[in-house]
Amino acid sequence: MIKVCKFGGTSMADGMTMLRVKEIVERDPARRYVVVSAPGKRYSGDYKVTDLLYETDRDVKEGGHVGEAYAKIADRFRSIGKELGLSLDVSALLEETARAIEKRRSRDFTASRGEYLTGRIMAELLGVPFLDGAEVIRFRQGRLAEEETDRLLRAALKGKPRAVVAGFYGADEEGNVVTFSRGGSDVSGAVVARAAGAELYENWTDVSGFLACDPHIVAGPKQIKSLSYKELRELSYMGANVLHSEAIFPVREAGIPVRILNTFRPEDEGTLIVPSARYEYGDLPVTGIAGKKDFTVVFLEKSLMNAEIGFAHKVLTVLRRHGVSFEHMPSGIDTMSFVIDSAELGGGVLEEIEREIEEAVSPDSLRVFGGIALIAVVGHGMSSKVGIAARLFSAIARAGVNVRMIDQGSSELNIIVGVENEQYERTVRAIYEEFFREG
Ligand code: ADP
Ligand code: ASP
Ligand code: MG
């Protein structure tokens, strides 16, 4: 039996938490491969090492040298080294890392050093070999090269009954370090689980599993005992950041279940994420709620649009020309809308797109709504129960919220609604009350 364990930033926050991690790992001999993040926040208002590394990158590009941000990072790692009483010379390692950052001047390389240093320390603490992400995780054209990574990892793990792997980064063919997007150590953990042929991928964090919605919005939401890969994908893509939205692919392919566990309450059962076929429906129609703010909806209307060959193609060509992707495309007989992350539309791009769409398809009307939040209500149980949509929309209406967009899409396990940013939290609470509050 092999388990791969990934520990997130809060689990790596200081020497004390690292000792907890050591205890967790050593309690179960199946926990053979450990993937680590960089130290996260120790308390609210604290900084994450990765954020300071992005600041360090700016310092180096402006002044040629690491600055105050790096000094904070160095303090943090030195005190971890002291707390743990390691024989590893942490100061020398930090010095060497600073020089490498100044020499390479690469944003991704700099950002990756949090996981690199943490990996070195954890390997020493556990007394097992360290595997550098750059040696075992391969990127091509900025994307994870799954097959190649799998081969490299298998070769590296062979003959190593245990190891610590640095999360969050790999390297391209030329050896340049490339990182995943933020929270990407979850993806590293998933590729290691796949290559190791693990029976379970344990993802250790600071909550006792996936909650039915963001705990910052609803106090003490219900915990989800079990989720399917598909539900996880929908929820994490739509903003439930517990697990990176791309972490699911490597494990899904190999059918490896994922368990979300709490480093600070290791006895809690957590949430088990399993292939959809093995998934047993709970008695609630909705499994979870997630959402994100700051979308823009571009709404087009034109009589007989449906009969106009190539209409959608012409609009999509405009988006493509600007390198803009869209999240959803709800459409009707004579209407079509595109839901786009507002961050993609800054610097005059939106205005240009509007003008070019007018030119390309001469719509009867073209309207743009900014400041839209999307909320996904997800659950396999939704498709088999009548009246879920009715309950959803009347709950939203009762809360006095106006729905700006609906996308029931082709996926039968979710309904997405768009509301004004300002109404986001209120809407999530109303939906939660409707589907989860007992009595
Ligand atoms: P890590 O550093 O361990 O990777 P993250 O911060 O990435 O941890 O993810 C865990 C955090 O996700 C929790 O502390 C919680 O605040 C937040 N979160 C957001 N939505 C949810 C949800 N639906 N269920 C559980 N946690 C959630
Ligand atoms: N340290 C990185 C981040 O903060 C990666 C991770 O924690 O997974 O995004
Ligand atoms: Mg995370």
Side-chain angles (χ1 to χ4, degrees), residues 117-408:
L117 292 164
T118 311
R120 292 286 304 265
I121 289 173
M122 277 311 291
E124 169 95 4
L125 183 64
L126 295 173
V128 306
F130 167 71
L131 285 180
D132 190 340
E135 309 284 328
V136 289
I137 294 181
R138 183 65 69 245
F139 281 80
R140 283 189 185 274
Q141 272 112 37
R143 297 194 63 81
L144 172 69
E146 284 204 35
E147 300 305 321
E148 214 174 324
T149 297
D150 197 48
R151 244 180 293 122
L152 286 170
L153 264 170
R154 272 174 205 277
L157 297 178
K158 206 169 170 188
K160 287 191 192 66
R162 299 179 65 201
V164 168
V165 186
F168 190 41
Y169 68 95
D172 65 16
E173 314 85 282
E174 276 120 44
N176 302 306
V177 164
V178 182
T179 66
F180 292 106
S181 57
R182 296 302 301 268
S185 300
D186 291 331
V187 189
S188 309
V191 294
V192 174
R194 176 182 163 189
E199 265 110 295
L200 183 65
Y201 171 26
E202 292 183 339
N203 192 286
W204 291 84
T205 179
D206 61 351
V207 279
S208 292
F210 227 101
L211 303 167
C213 75
D214 186 341
H216 301 103
I217 301 179
V218 171
K222 202 170 168 312
Q223 200 211 304
I224 304 173
K225 285 213 162 357
S226 168
L227 271 176
S228 75
Y229 287 159
K230 279 192 186 151
E231 289 175 326
L232 171 77
R233 169 81 179 138
E234 301 274 355
L235 288 168
S236 58
Y237 185 78
M238 282 300 293
N241 291 327
V242 199
L243 204 65
H244 191 286
S245 65
E246 287 162 30
I248 201 63
F249 299 117
V251 282
R252 183 176 71 184
E253 202 152 297
I256 302 166
V258 185
R259 195 182 279 284
I260 311 284
L261 288 156
N262 189 345
T263 300
F264 306 93
R265 295 179 58 119
E267 311 306 336
D268 287 356
E269 195 188 337
T271 299
L272 188 66
I273 303 156
V274 293
S276 306
R278 267 194 262 154
Y279 176 72
E280 287 177 29
Y281 297 138
D283 38 4
L284 293 174
V286 172
T287 304
I289 307 160
K292 289 197 269 197
K293 287 185 180 176
D294 296 324
F295 289 91
T296 297
V297 180
V298 177
F299 176 85
L300 294 167
E301 194 166 12
K302 187 176 188 186
S303 302
L304 299 174
M305 163 194 294
N306 57 332
E308 190 174 323
I309 308 280
F311 185 93
H313 177 76
K314 287 180 201 155
V315 180
L316 291 173
T317 306
V318 173
L319 295 182
R320 185 173 168 197
R321 197 154 49 231
H322 291 276
V324 166
S325 59
F326 65 89
E327 301 283 319
H328 300 279
M329 194 181 104
S331 52
I333 310 172
D334 294 325
T335 64
M336 185 175 282
S337 36
F338 295 88
V339 183
I340 301 167
D341 185 342
S342 303
E344 296 207 43
L345 298 171
V349 171
L350 175 61
E351 293 69 24
E352 277 179 43
I353 286 179
E354 282 182 59
R355 196 174 34 75
E356 289 174 32
I357 290 179
E358 290 276 5
E359 261 172 39
V361 295
S362 325
D364 299 339
S365 77
L366 186 164
R367 278 174 286 159
V368 172
F369 312 100
I372 299 289
L374 298 184
I375 301 167
V377 183
V378 176
H380 284 289
M382 295 204 321
S383 60
S384 56
K385 297 229 166 69
V386 242
I388 300 302
R391 277 176 69 189
L392 172 65
F393 291 111
S394 53
I396 297 175
R398 275 199 308 279
V401 174
N402 202 359
V403 173
R404 304 301 299 267
M405 186 218 80
I406 301 169
D407 188 1
Q408 192 154 7

